Amino acid sequence: DSGVTQTPKHLITATGQRVTLRCSPRSGDLSVYWYQQSLDQGLQFLIQYYNGEERAKGNILERFSAQQFPDLHSELNLSSLELGDSALYFCASTPAPGRTDTQYFGPGTRLTVL
Amino acid sequence: DAKTTQPPSMDCAEGRAANLPCNHSTISGNEYVYWYRQIHSQGPQYIIHGLKNNETNEMASLIITEDRKSSTLILPHATLRDTAVYYCIVRVQNDYKLSFGAGTTVTVRA
């Protein structure tokens, strides 16, 4: 158990809908990272937040957005969902955005878009 | 990011050491080598990381060549629960993301 929690574990929805994935970092960790793992793209970095502010951005679609709240949990919002958004979504956390900080991953949310 | 090259798959006998190679010939002097593994769609699990020196923890050992162009992850006594995809990642200075490649699918057989 990494200490990172994610809800829900599974999510099934239809195209065009909007969903919110939630992540709670390890106790004391200030930075949260979101990754997407699809069958054809592998694990890809989406976005990072540190203490409530966006810190780094990867190949995140404009239909996707994220935020980190004062209690440090983070939410990833996916809108206008397409079939290709079906994937595993992981979050990870670190104490501070130092380059040698180890990222610990949560169990993931499996999103299925029908 | 420095690219890494790993064999796509390898088998290992239970109880034996598993040696997982990784090539990273374009690694820069301030880039670290990280190893993660992912067991059947679970979240990636951190194993070990290093810069120049060999490292050991309760899970594995990391051997980095002197020129740092390659490394080997050693699982000393593989068990069936070690069956997973193992990712070798080189982390760019000031880049906080982890860039995962295809990894090595390790199957431990009884």
Side-chain angles (χ1 to χ4, degrees):
Chain A
D1 184 356
S2 66
V4 178
T5 60
Q6 290 187 248
T7 56
K9 279 189 85 168
H10 301 277
L11 200 47
I12 301 174
T13 188
T15 54
Q17 295 298 305
R18 173 189 168 96
V19 297
T20 298
L21 313 183
R22 182 187 169 108
C23 167
S24 292
R26 295 184 317 160
S27 177
D29 283 2
L30 300 178
S31 198
V32 170
Y33 309 73
W34 285 97
Y35 290 81
Q36 178 193 55
Q37 185 174 31
S38 57
L39 279 174
D40 56 345
Q41 295 284 334
L43 262 160
Q44 292 209 314
F45 168 75
L46 294 178
I47 198 164
Q48 180 211 356
Y49 276 80
Y50 171 65
N51 208 18
E53 293 191 5
E54 182 184 305
R55 191 72 182 229
K57 226 169 182 176
N59 296 326
I60 187 167
L61 299 172
E62 284 193 14
R63 300 182 286 108
F64 296 3
S65 65
Q67 54 185 324
Q68 187 178 27
F69 294 85
D71 67 352
L72 301 175
H73 89 272
S74 178
E75 293 181 357
L76 179 67
N77 300 296
L78 315 177
S79 61
S80 302
L81 284 168
E82 302 174 0
L83 295 177
D85 298 327
S86 295
L88 280 163
Y89 291 85
F90 295 103
C91 79
S93 72
T94 60
R99 66 180 185 276
T100 60
D101 282 340
T102 299
Q103 294 183 22
Y104 292 92
F105 284 77
T109 293
R110 181 178 292 279
L111 173 66
T112 303
V113 182
L114 301 175
Chain B
D1 291 352
K3 286 195 172 180
T4 61
T5 304
Q6 299 178 253
S9 64
M10 60 185 293
D11 284 359
C12 175
E14 189 179 22
R16 304 293 295 270
N19 296 294
L20 283 62
C22 179
N23 285 320
H24 32 77
S25 58
T26 60
I27 192 170
S28 299
N30 54 8
E31 290 177 318
Y32 287 73
V33 179
Y34 278 76
W35 283 84
Y36 279 78
R37 72 181 182 184
Q38 188 174 24
I39 299 171
H40 189 57
S41 298
Q42 296 178 21
Q45 178 187 22
Y46 166 76
I47 302 174
I48 198 167
H49 75 280
L51 181 63
K52 297 182 199 177
N53 300 322
N54 298 338
E55 302 287 345
T56 295
N57 63 20
E58 65 279 0
M59 285 184 70
S61 295
L62 174 60
I63 309 298
I64 303 175
T65 58
E66 197 167 332
D67 63 6
R68 303 210 322 126
K69 293 186 176 182
S70 65
S71 60
T72 301
L73 178 75
I74 301 172
L75 307 177
H77 304 288
T79 71
L80 299 178
R81 288 176 297 179
D82 292 322
T83 292
V85 179
Y86 287 76
Y87 298 98
C88 170
I89 299 163
V90 172
R91 197 163 180 190
V92 177
Q93 183 179 18
N94 293 327
D95 188 351
Y96 309 116
K97 72 177 185 286
L98 293 169
S99 297
F100 290 84
T104 297
T105 299
V106 173
T107 303
V108 180
R109 302 191 187 282

